[in-house]
Structures are given as structure tokens and as C-alpha cells.
Amino acid sequence: MRAAYQVLDKIKDKLRTSPNIQTVSFGDLFEVDLNKTTIFPLAHIGMGNVTFLEHKLELTMNVMLLDIVDDNRDPSTEDEFYSNNNLQDILNTLLAEANILVSDLRRGSGFTELFQIESNVSAQPFLDRYENQLAGWSVDVVVSFPNNDVSIC
């Protein structure tokens, strides 16, 4: 059975093609060196539960899209709404990346390769997380794919 590899590779390859993603990682986020500023913007893939259905599997995944909030210390550029950082830029850019990934799995090459999203996808923003003021989106997605690698004969 290679389905887990195929789903991970599909998502990893899609994220790596983006000019807005510097690094793609997998596993436990706490094992990623988040203090290393050269890895951002970062896409991190986590794998969750699998549901076994009649002819398909549903894999729950979490994709975190993170970047470092950069504070501009020049008080003359202060804006009451946007503040003095790039937080809104990060949220806008990484939400667009989440949308591209989800759209690919819904209607693009992921769909034609039978890695499909059949339910709603939710994305939650996060602000000032971890030690170095990271912000971005945490996207929860359930990817379904055929269960035709196993024969019961």
C-alpha cells in the first residue's frame, strides 16, 4: 500500500511549486527548528486519523502555513489599522496558498488523480505563536482516495 506516500507527495509537491513557500516539512512541528529564520515561509504537514470505508480511505491531515511577523520599528510608518508589521500580508498570502492547495484537491490534478476532498475544509488563523512571532493558517482537510491496493482474496 502506497496511498499515504502518494497523498503526502501530492501535497508536498503542490506546496513546493509555490513561490510563497520556502520550506515544506512533515511530522511533529515541535521537531522543526522554528528559530531558523531561513526556513520561512513554512508549510508543515501533519497526518491524523484514517477512516476505512467500503471502497476508499479518508485521511485527515493538517497543513500549517507559517511565516515570521516582521515588525517595522519606524514610528513614522505607524498605521492604526495595519499597525507596524506585515501580519495582514502574511495572512493574505498564506490564505491564498491554502486556497490553491484545496482547489487543486477539489478540481485540479489532485482530483483527477483520485485524491479528493469531499467535505468542507476549515482554516483557522493564528497570530504570534511560538517563540519568534509566527502567524499564518492551520488548515484541516480530509482527503479521500480509492482503497484498491488490498485484495481480500
Side-chain angles (χ1 to χ4, degrees), residues 25-39:
S25 61
F26 169 78
D28 185 351
L29 183 61
F30 293 106
E31 293 180 10
V32 177
D33 185 2
L34 298 179
N35 291 318
K36 198 173 180 183
T37 59
T38 58
I39 65 171

Side-chain angles (χ1 to χ4, degrees), residues 28-84:
D28 185 351
L29 183 61
F30 293 106
E31 293 180 10
V32 177
D33 185 2
L34 298 179
N35 291 318
K36 198 173 180 183
T37 59
T38 58
I39 65 171
F40 293 99
L42 169 71
H44 183 78
I45 304 168
M47 198 178 283
N49 297 332
V50 174
T51 303
F52 295 89
L53 301 171
E54 183 77 25
H55 297 287
K56 66 181 177 178
L57 301 175
E58 291 182 340
L59 172 61
T60 302
M61 304 187 79
N62 175 265
V63 178
M64 293 186 75
L65 303 163
L66 315 95
D67 202 353
I68 297 174
V69 177
D70 183 24
D71 286 319
N72 180 355
R73 303 288 183 206
D74 181 1
S76 67
T77 62
E78 181 75 29
D79 181 280
E80 289 180 24
F81 184 77
Y82 290 111
S83 187
N84 249 17

